């Protein structure tokens, strides 16, 4: 049944009072809404006249009709705040909270935005009609080629563009790998401690999830062989273990590869920040040592470019390309072509390499500042262990196990650090704070940030 003027009036009034429509929001022109609802113009005109008379709408001549910007509704924030579109803190996920020292965020002050915007403009203008159809599910081919070239040169892989598959990042990659290759009875092993978001995701989707402890040489492959020889998947961060930032030793790499080839198991290599080594050359990836094609390599542009890009990739073993293609066709819809085009030019014109080189030098300096500032502000309360790179440090507690309390306290000071113990599932927990340093612009800034929660931290750890 067609809505009458009263129905239209109540729809607007209710949406405005519930906050769905906010002060200042534009409403459709009378003619447009009448066409949309298939009613006479007069019907919409009458509804708008009542809403205007009651102060819900205002007509602003050529600028159209809007929800009254001065409208104050009981139980809602002031109009100016509503118009910014900010969500209440309780509805913002942990990952989205703003703050300092969040692990894994690249230096936002040093990204070549001008260049990126220029490329974005070019890519937008060059969009052809056929590129506005559904994107290819495995990714835009020129980007797959650019990534294959980058991986072959920089990460020591030997893969073709046909093996590269573009995803939306970590969870998109991992889900697609497991959807394609795993059955529900397969045992999957993960590092302990391990990437917190990864654990949360895997707990939801993998019925037989087990963990393998990590020590200073990375995942304990001896433990894997003794306890989980029958696993079908091992998910590892060999370049920089997440979160301990240690590197998987060469003998263990070999042991892991041998295990996978003898048991026809898969190793998922999560190379999330393998580009960032500071004191030596970038390490060859585990995949580059893989003679039997048992390693599925996954990477992301979240650390090298920006997390909001939502671009990651998987290198599919040659024998699995057909299976991935079938599965991707059903479970994904591909990634936005426009973003893939911008990224392709960024890679092909050398901006990516230049940016990485600059960031390696910058991160080394910022990391040193952070470690020195920790020592200066907290003396021996925390210690760090020597490791070569990555995008975060772990400040271990010298004594006690109160890292959760300390992390909560720092979070109240807008320092978005994580408690290390929360990343463990089994025994053998260590305690400390996982913190990023890439956005600390000066040594003084590092000192100031750390001074904030000092008093309370001393009380908690004293
Ligand atoms: C261990 C690990 N893997 C992968 C990622 C990348 O995630 P995404 O590509 O979804 O941004 C991160 C990001 O923090 C990470 O810490």
């Amino acid at each position: 049944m067609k809505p009458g003027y009263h129905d239209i009036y109540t729809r607007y009034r209710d949406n405005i009072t519930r906050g769905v429509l906010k002060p200042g929001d534009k409403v459709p022109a009378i003619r447009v809404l009448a066409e949309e609802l298939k009613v006479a113009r007069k019907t919409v005109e009458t509804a708008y006249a009542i809403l205007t008379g009651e102060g819900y709408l205002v007509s602003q001549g050529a600028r159209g009709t809007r929800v009254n910007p001065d409208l104050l509704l009981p139980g809602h924030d002031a109009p100016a705040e509503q118009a910014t579109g900010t969500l209440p803190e309780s509805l913002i996920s942990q990952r989205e909270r703003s703050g300092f020292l969040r692990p894994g965020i690249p230096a936002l002050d040093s990204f070549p935005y001008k260049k990126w915007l220029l490329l974005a403009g070019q890519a937008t203008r060059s969009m052809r009609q056929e590129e506005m159809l559904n994107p290819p599910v495995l990714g835009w081919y020129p980007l797959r080629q650019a990534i294959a070239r980058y991986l072959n040169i920089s990460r020591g892989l030997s893969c073709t563009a046909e093996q590269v598959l573009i995803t939306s990042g970590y969870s998109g990659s991992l889900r697609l790998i497991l959807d394609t290759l795993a059955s529900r009875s397969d045992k999957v092993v993960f590092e302990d401690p391990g990437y917190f978001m990864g654990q949360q995701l895997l707990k939801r989707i993998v019925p037989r999830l087990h963990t393998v402890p990590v020590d200073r040489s990375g995942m304990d492959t001896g433990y894997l062989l003794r306890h989980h020889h029958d696993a079908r998947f091992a998910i590892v961060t060999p370049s920089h273990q997440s979160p301990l930032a240690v590197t998987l030793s060469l003998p263990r790499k070999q042991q892991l590869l041998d295990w996978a080839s003898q048991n026809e198991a898969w190793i998922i290599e999560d190379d999330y920040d393998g580009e960032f080594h500071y004191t030596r050359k970038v390490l060859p990836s585990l995949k580059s040592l893989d003679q039997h094609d048992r390693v599925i390599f996954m990477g992301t542009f979240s650390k090298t470019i920006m997390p909001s890009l939502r671009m990651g990739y998987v290198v599919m073993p040659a024998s699995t390309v057909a299976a991935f293609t079938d599965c991707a066709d059903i479970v994904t819809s591909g990634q936005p072509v426009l973003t893939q085009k911008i990224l392709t030019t960024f890679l092909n014109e050398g901006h990516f390499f230049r940016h990485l080189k600059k960031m390696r030098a910058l991160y080394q300096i910022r990391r040193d500042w952070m470690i020195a500032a920790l020592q200066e502000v907290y003396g021996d309360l925390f210690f760090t262990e020597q490791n070569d790179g990555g995008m975060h440090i772990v400040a271990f507690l010298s004594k006690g196990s109160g890292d959760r309390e300390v992390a909560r306290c720092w979070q109240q000071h807008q320092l978005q650090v994580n408690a290390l113990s929360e990343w463990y599932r089994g025994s053998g927990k260590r305690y400390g704070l996982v913190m990023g340093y890439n956005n600390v612009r000066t040594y003084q800034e590092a000192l100031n940030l750390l001074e904030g929660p000092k008093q309370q931290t001393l009380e908690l750890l004293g």
Side-chain angles (χ1 to χ4, degrees):
M1 212 174 63
K2 285 183 188 175
Y5 77 87
H6 196 262
D7 300 310
I8 299 173
Y9 160 76
T10 37
R11 275 184 211 173
Y12 269 98
R13 192 200 53 197
D14 291 352
N15 277 297
I16 293 169
T17 48
R18 280 191 290 124
V20 179
L21 280 169
K22 306 230 176 351
D25 281 358
K26 208 165 173 198
V27 299
I30 291 173
R31 179 183 48 80
V32 174
L33 188 62
E35 272 167 24
E36 172 75 21
L37 299 177
K38 310 245 176 317
V39 296
R41 279 193 200 185
K42 189 80 197 146
T43 310
V44 178
E45 217 172 85
T46 311
Y48 276 21
I50 302 173
L51 288 159
T52 308
E54 291 185 355
Y56 288 108
L57 299 184
V58 283
S59 166
Q60 297 181 320
R63 289 172 56 215
T65 303
R66 292 177 187 271
V67 178
N68 185 352
D70 299 323
L71 195 63
L72 270 176
L73 295 165
H76 289 286
D77 295 337
E81 232 169 278
Q82 288 205 353
T84 64
T86 46
L87 277 173
E89 189 69 0
S90 59
L91 294 183
I92 301 176
S93 81
Q94 213 193 332
R95 228 195 303 205
E96 289 169 76
R97 297 232 156 103
S98 60
F100 305 95
L101 309 188
R102 175 183 293 284
I105 305 293
L108 300 177
D109 60 332
S110 304
F111 185 71
Y113 293 104
K114 271 200 190 144
K115 179 54 71 185
W116 184 264
L117 290 179
L118 195 78
L119 300 183
Q122 284 169 4
T124 309
R125 286 190 293 278
S126 73
M127 282 295 282
R128 286 174 290 134
Q129 263 189 21
E130 57 271 29
E131 290 168 352
M132 296 180 188
L133 299 170
N134 287 327
V137 288
L138 298 186
W140 197 56
Y141 192 65
L143 179 59
R144 298 170 69 194
Q145 287 177 308
I147 293 175
R149 273 195 296 274
Y150 160 65
L151 293 175
N152 290 348
I153 294 164
S154 294
R155 309 291 293 124
L157 266 67
S158 157
C159 65
T160 62
E162 285 67 26
Q163 287 175 265
V164 175
L165 152 61
I166 312 295
T167 70
S168 63
Y170 182 82
S171 63
S173 297
L174 204 50
R175 275 176 172 270
L176 188 58
I177 294 170
L178 295 175
D179 270 339
T180 305
L181 299 175
S183 72
R184 292 194 63 75
S185 58
D186 284 340
K187 185 191 268 194
V188 176
V189 296
F190 196 63
E191 297 162 325
D192 190 22
Y195 177 40
F196 189 72
M197 298 311 295
Q199 285 180 42
Q200 304 303 313
L201 172 69
L202 290 166
K203 272 199 280 188
R204 276 175 177 261
I205 61 175
V206 173
R208 294 185 68 208
L209 180 65
H210 293 264
T211 54
V212 175
V214 173
D215 60 25
R216 279 169 204 210
S217 307
M219 180 189 256
D220 182 349
T221 44
Y223 184 100
L224 168 77
L225 296 184
R226 287 194 301 282
H227 298 276
H228 300 300
H229 198 266
D230 57 336
R232 223 79 215 276
F233 292 87
I235 304 171
V236 281
T237 48
S239 290
H240 290 125
Q241 201 275 333
S242 171
L244 295 179
V246 295
T247 301
L248 188 65
S249 69
L250 195 57
R252 286 193 180 176
K253 280 184 176 146
Q254 202 48 60
Q255 208 170 17
L256 196 58
L257 291 168
D258 291 345
W259 161 78
S261 66
Q262 282 156 17
N263 295 280
E264 299 200 347
W266 296 109
I267 301 166
I268 301 177
E269 174 173 16
D270 174 11
D271 189 65
Y272 66 110
D273 70 355
E275 285 87 359
F276 297 109
H277 272 275
Y278 310 130
T279 55
R280 55 185 144 117
K281 284 214 174 99
V282 172
L283 280 186
S285 57
L286 179 62
K287 177 73 191 162
S288 67
L289 307 172
D290 175 25
Q291 305 278 326
H292 301 280
D293 228 7
R294 302 310 304 176
V295 177
I296 306 163
F297 183 88
M298 55 188 235
T300 178
F301 290 102
S302 292
K303 314 289 171 204
T304 48
I305 297 188
M306 59 183 104
S308 68
L309 193 64
R310 300 313 328 139
M311 282 283 149
Y313 49 87
V314 171
V315 179
M316 307 169 273
S319 61
T320 63
V321 173
F324 268 100
T325 311
D326 288 348
C327 183
D329 220 6
I330 300 165
V331 306
T332 82
S333 338
Q335 307 306 322
V337 172
L338 181 58
T339 320
Q340 296 186 68
K341 288 185 95 166
I342 307 170
L343 184 54
T344 306
T345 320
F346 196 70
L347 285 162
N348 285 348
E349 289 186 357
H351 308 298
F352 184 67
F353 283 97
R354 270 197 292 283
H355 180 55
L356 274 187
K357 191 165 170 233
K358 266 174 66 185
M359 290 309 98
R360 266 186 216 117
L362 184 72
Y363 292 170
Q364 186 171 358
I365 295 170
R366 292 185 171 183
R367 182 167 175 268
D368 291 347
W369 284 340
M370 197 62 200
I371 293 173
L374 255 181
Q375 172 71 32
E376 171 82 25
V377 178
Y378 290 103
D380 294 338
L381 275 188
F382 296 103
F383 68 95
T384 53
E385 284 174 355
Q386 193 61 39
N387 52 56
D388 176 53
M391 291 182 65
H392 65 264
I393 54 170
V394 183
F396 292 98
L397 302 194
S398 298
K399 61 180 170 58
S401 55
D403 62 352
R404 285 174 192 231
E405 292 73 19
V406 178
R408 300 287 166 273
C409 160
W410 286 37
Q411 284 159 11
Q412 279 159 13
H413 288 261
Q414 302 303 314
L415 304 182
Q416 297 296 342
V417 298
N418 298 123
L420 174 64
S421 63
E422 288 184 333
W423 294 42
Y424 280 89
R425 290 194 74 202
S427 53
K429 280 192 176 129
R430 299 183 73 191
Y431 303 90
L433 301 177
V434 184
M435 56 174 84
Y437 52 80
N438 310 67
N439 283 287
V440 171
R441 286 162 303 175
T442 58
Y443 178 59
Q444 190 56 46
E445 186 171 282
L447 289 173
N448 295 346
L449 290 174
L450 295 178
E451 281 287 347
K454 181 172 178 180
Q455 202 47 44
Q456 285 160 283
T457 307
L458 294 182
E459 281 161 25
L460 286 167
L461 296 177

